Amino acid sequence: MLTQLTGFELTRGMLACLHRKELPTVEEICINASRVAVLEDVMNPTNIGAIFRSAAALGMDAVLLTSACSDPLYRRASRVSMGTVFQVPWTYLDRDSGKWLSKLKSLGFKTAAMALKEDTVNINNPLLMAEEKLAIILGTEGDGLADTTIDGCDYTVKIPMAHGVDSLNVAAASAVAFWQLGNNSK
């Protein structure tokens, strides 16, 4: 059947076809959560997998993704995550950042945009760390978060850099943010 579909023999081991369970709603994911990661348009499956692994290890309750993000169940993402895409609750958000930001806020979350802007708070800001419910929002590789997303957030947070380095990869930035702001730091 694979040969008929693709036109050439491709099998390199196990092949399966599965029906996916319906994803939970944002409300179901967030009902008992105090720390969630929000990924806006993160397209690289390796970064998705690394972010899920950090989320699992560093105290995040869930991961929420915009529809432009790479699929967490993509083979590369699930492999890099070391299987944590099957442990950390996750779902997709509405396309419109205004809608999903409003939804998070209605669920009691303060929102923290991780962004390279001048008017920011430091990642170890006591007010930020004391928030009861916090959504840590990370953006796509290269462009980062949309300006409308940053403008709609309660905080804009920057990780201080040394040696003239301007930024971290989104997966590395997520690990720093989750370590500092995740449930393990409370």
Side-chain angles (χ1 to χ4, degrees), residues 114-148:
M114 301 298 298
L116 298 171
K117 299 287 183 182
E118 291 306 315
D119 188 22
T120 62
V121 298
N122 195 307
I123 195 161
N124 66 355
N125 182 293
L127 295 174
L128 178 66
M129 293 175 63
E131 291 293 354
E132 188 175 319
K133 295 178 86 170
L134 187 66
I136 301 166
I137 305 170
L138 299 135
T140 187
E141 303 86 347
D143 292 336
L145 292 171
D147 288 335
T148 56

Side-chain angles (χ1 to χ4, degrees), residues 31-158:
I31 194 162
N32 294 314
S34 64
R35 294 293 187 265
V36 296
V38 179
L39 308 183
E40 183 180 71
D41 302 347
V42 177
M43 295 174 242
N44 184 304
T46 301
N47 285 337
I48 294 286
I51 292 167
F52 266 86
R53 190 171 176 181
S54 293
L58 301 171
M60 301 307 291
D61 297 313
V63 177
L64 306 173
L65 304 100
T66 61
S67 58
C69 285
S70 181
D71 186 344
L73 299 181
Y74 180 74
R75 182 177 57 98
R76 180 79 175 144
S78 62
R79 194 169 114 217
V80 171
S81 82
M82 299 295 290
T84 57
V85 296
F86 303 108
Q87 296 171 336
V88 176
W90 64 274
T91 198
Y92 285 104
L93 295 161
D94 190 287
R95 283 185 177 274
D96 180 358
S97 66
K99 287 183 182 176
W100 58 256
L101 279 168
S102 293
K103 179 167 290 218
L104 286 171
K105 290 178 181 190
S106 75
L107 295 169
F109 285 88
K110 292 293 185 174
T111 53
M114 301 298 298
L116 298 171
K117 299 287 183 182
E118 291 306 315
D119 188 22
T120 62
V121 298
N122 195 307
I123 195 161
N124 66 355
N125 182 293
L127 295 174
L128 178 66
M129 293 175 63
E131 291 293 354
E132 188 175 319
K133 295 178 86 170
L134 187 66
I136 301 166
I137 305 170
L138 299 135
T140 187
E141 303 86 347
D143 292 336
L145 292 171
D147 288 335
T148 56
T149 301
I150 295 167
D151 293 343
C153 285
D154 299 302
Y155 297 96
T156 304
V157 182
K158 186 160 67 170

